[in-house]
């Protein structure tokens, strides 16, 4: 177990849900903008609710500029390796060398067989993957002769190599069992486990198998990238387990994996823009700084003891970056100076009130110790919030559809298209207005009923309740700004970007507020057996 000194990469693992295709593209562009290094897309061709992974990766390559892209991981039984070699090389050329290739031997064999693919035993699947690696590398290697391979699963009868990727595409293998881990050590450029199948405590034993196989093959284990698919929850209190706590806890845990197990690429499963930003702007820099300090310390012969996360130098706060970017965004939205200042003021106010460091927190108790009926009572708040989150996602997707339609209408310059767009603006406005009323009603019920009940039942909750009420006021101000942006959009369709800006602000503020409320109130509601 070692730190191999690799550059650290941080990325997003996005679910290719066809119904949320606008969100996926938006989040990939966001990942590119905020400095993440890589975007991974799972590959399940038999899943009818998913977009085709390779088509999606190609689209994302055209919408991004610097972020790397990879299938996480390819379902090899449904992706013939010779065709996959051409596709990966082509996308690497078109994207300027930004493609890596995650490979999986196959899973969910019923789904694969339903699509006409082979049903392989575990041993056959590993053998097929090894042959596929040979095919891929042969077709990426320049030569005058056609490639021939007479394998048990794949055949080539004189296929000419090419096109050739502009950078060495890494072959990263999704592996958990011994034979796959050994194959990774012998032939892989990277290893891609997921935390859901390989917990942090299991990585050491798996990594030893990879390293030993590499050494037997005459390879340096440090040649193999360690890529970890992760998931977690940003919360105010530490002690909730792996990646369940504030960003500082995340940073400590990921730095330990980098220094202790050589993990150097962390890909976060995420559907929430705010979590994506926290991961990129708070967690990633802290991990990089902690790992860099420890690497420097080990290079000093007189060094004493490890250096902790808390000693990391301060970086520019995300709120400051947002404040710097805001004037340009407002100008691009085409709004007036007064509205721009109003948006900036609301964003600054929201940043102050939603500052995680100043939110009151109470000691946490284990909700699992309560009777199931009481647990369900507390979870009712989460169900209500989930409805609000789903509706907000639908608004954002609808907004992107209207924006896409606006471009089409402008290009076609037809009266029918312009009339259709006008109707779309009204529909979007109605949708947003309905959501604002729903949210305002929910907050009113909390302010007048739930919060007083909680404060009376447990006096220590009073500071939390007061803070939540203050956050309601901030959200009300954001809703007022959104209403003004909607009115401006109906009067002048060119102001659609002003609506987008306000919806993004609402999303940041509301999602943070809902998480905080759940973290502090679900357990008391359940324990006190309150009817909300």
């Amino acid at each position: 177990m070692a730190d191999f000194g690799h550059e650290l990469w941080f990325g997003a693992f996005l679910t290719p849900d066809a119904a949320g295709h606008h969100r996926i593209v938006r989040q990939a562009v966001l990942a590119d903008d905020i400095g993440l290094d890589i975007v991974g897309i799972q590959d399940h061709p038999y899943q009818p609710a998913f977009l085709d992974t390779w088509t999606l990766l190609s689209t994302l390559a055209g919408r991004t500029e610097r972020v790397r892209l990879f299938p996480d991981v390819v379902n090899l039984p449904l992706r013939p390796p010779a065709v996959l070699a051409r596709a990966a090389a082509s996308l690497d050329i078109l994207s300027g060398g930004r493609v890596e290739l995650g490979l999986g031997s196959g899973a969910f064999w019923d789904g694969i067989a339903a699509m006409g693919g082979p049903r392989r035993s575990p041993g056959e699947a590993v053998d097929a993957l090894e042959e596929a690696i040979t095919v891929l590398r042969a077709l990426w290697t320049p030569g005058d002769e056609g490639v021939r391979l007479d394998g048990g699963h794949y055949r080539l009868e004189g296929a000419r190599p090419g096109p050739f990727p502009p950078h060495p595409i890494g072959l990263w293998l999704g592996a958990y069992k011994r034979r796959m881990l050994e194959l990774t050590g012998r032939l892989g450029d990277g290893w891609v486990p997921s935390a859901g199948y390989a917990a942090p405590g299991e990585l050491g034993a798996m990594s030893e198998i990879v390293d030993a196989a590499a050494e037997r093959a005459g390879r340096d284990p440090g040649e193999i990238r360690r890529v970890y698919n992760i998931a977690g929850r940003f919360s105010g209190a530490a002690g909730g387990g792996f990646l369940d706590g504030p960003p500082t806890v995340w940073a400590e845990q990921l730095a330990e994996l980098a220094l202790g197990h050589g993990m150097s690429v962390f890909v976060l499963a995420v559907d929430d823009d705010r979590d994506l930003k926290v991961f990129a702007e708070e967690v990633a820099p802290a991990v990089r700084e902690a790992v860099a300090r420890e690497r420097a310390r080990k290079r000093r012969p007189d060094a004493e003891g490890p250096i902790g996360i808390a000693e990391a130098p301060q970086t520019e706060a995300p709120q400051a970056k947002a404040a710097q970017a805001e004037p340009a965004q407002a100008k691009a939205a085409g709004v007036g100076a007064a509205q721009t200042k109003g948006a900036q003021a609301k964003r600054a106010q929201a940043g102050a009130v939603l500052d995680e460091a100043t939110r009151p927190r109470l000691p946490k108790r284990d909700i699992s110790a309560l009777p199931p009926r009481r647990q369900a009572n507390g979870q009712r708040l989460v169900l209500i919030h989930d409805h609000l989150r789903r509706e907000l996602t639908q608004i954002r997707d609808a907004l992107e559809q209207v924006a896409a339609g606006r471009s089409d209408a402008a290009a076609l310059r037809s009266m029918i298209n312009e009339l259709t767009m006008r109707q779309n603006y009204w529909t979007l406005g109605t949708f947003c207005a309905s959501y604002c009323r729903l949210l305002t009603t929910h907050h009113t019920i909390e302010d007048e009923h739930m919060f007083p009940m909680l404060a009376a039942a447990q006096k220590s909750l009073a500071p939390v309740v007061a803070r939540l009420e203050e956050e309601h006021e901030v959200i009300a101000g954001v809703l007022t700004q959104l209403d003004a942006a909607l009115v401006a959009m109906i009067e002048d369709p060119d102001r659609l970007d002003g609506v987008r800006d306000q919806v993004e602000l609402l999303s940041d503020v509301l999602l943070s507020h809902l998480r905080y409320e759940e973290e502090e109130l679900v357990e008391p509601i359940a324990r006190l057996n309150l009817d909300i």
Side-chain angles (χ1 to χ4, degrees), residues 400-413 421 425 496:
E400 295 305 322
Q401 292 177 40
V402 171
R406 177 182 64 175
S407 299
D408 294 341
L412 294 173
R413 296 185 182 281
M421 279 309 305
Y425 283 124
L496 176 64

Side-chain angles (χ1 to χ4, degrees), residues 249-321:
V249 169
W250 283 52
E252 289 171 0
Q253 293 175 342
L254 296 183
E256 288 174 2
L257 292 177
L259 295 167
H261 296 294
M263 310 308 290
S264 60
V265 183
F266 298 102
V267 187
L268 176 65
V270 61
D271 291 316
D272 181 271
D273 289 8
R274 185 176 180 84
D275 285 350
L276 196 63
K277 292 177 183 176
V278 172
F279 187 60
E281 296 172 351
E282 300 184 43
V283 176
V287 177
R288 287 191 173 103
E289 289 163 2
V291 171
R293 281 197 314 277
E294 183 63 11
R295 288 173 176 174
R297 186 192 69 82
K298 289 182 177 179
R299 289 193 294 268
R300 297 197 308 269
D302 59 340
E304 294 183 5
I307 301 175
I309 292 290
E311 299 174 21
Q314 295 297 313
T315 57
E316 184 180 19
Q319 294 91 337
K321 294 179 181 179

Side-chain angles (χ1 to χ4, degrees), residues 326 330 334-346 481 484 495 502:
E326 178 63 29
V335 298
Q339 189 171 343
T340 301
K341 290 180 180 179
Q344 290 177 323
K346 289 299 177 186
Q481 291 289 326
R495 293 190 173 184
Q502 292 302 322

Side-chain angles (χ1 to χ4, degrees), residues 154-345:
Y154 302 112
R155 294 174 59 86
L156 293 177
E157 299 186 1
R160 298 292 298 275
F164 305 111
H167 95 292
I169 295 177
L171 299 182
W172 298 348
L173 310 189
Y176 302 96
K177 299 297 179 64
R178 176 171 289 275
R179 281 199 63 195
M180 280 292 293
L181 292 168
E182 291 177 339
L183 178 61
T184 302
R186 286 190 291 112
L187 298 177
D189 300 308
W191 172 39
V192 191
S194 296
Y197 300 96
E202 300 173 289
L203 293 177
M206 292 181 176
S207 188
E208 288 177 357
I209 296 173
V210 173
D211 295 349
E215 291 170 350
R216 287 195 300 270
R219 304 181 66 197
D220 178 358
E223 297 175 10
I224 302 167
R225 270 275 192 182
R226 317 296 165 113
V227 183
Y228 202 23
N229 292 321
I230 57 176
R233 183 175 72 104
F234 291 112
S235 59
F242 181 60
L243 300 186
D244 187 355
T248 52
V249 169
W250 283 52
E252 289 171 0
Q253 293 175 342
L254 296 183
E256 288 174 2
L257 292 177
L259 295 167
H261 296 294
M263 310 308 290
S264 60
V265 183
F266 298 102
V267 187
L268 176 65
V270 61
D271 291 316
D272 181 271
D273 289 8
R274 185 176 180 84
D275 285 350
L276 196 63
K277 292 177 183 176
V278 172
F279 187 60
E281 296 172 351
E282 300 184 43
V283 176
V287 177
R288 287 191 173 103
E289 289 163 2
V291 171
R293 281 197 314 277
E294 183 63 11
R295 288 173 176 174
R297 186 192 69 82
K298 289 182 177 179
R299 289 193 294 268
R300 297 197 308 269
D302 59 340
E304 294 183 5
I307 301 175
I309 292 290
E311 299 174 21
Q314 295 297 313
T315 57
E316 184 180 19
Q319 294 91 337
K321 294 179 181 179
Q324 292 172 2
E326 178 63 29
Q329 294 170 349
K331 183 177 180 181
V335 298
Q339 189 171 343
T340 301
K341 290 180 180 179
Q344 290 177 323

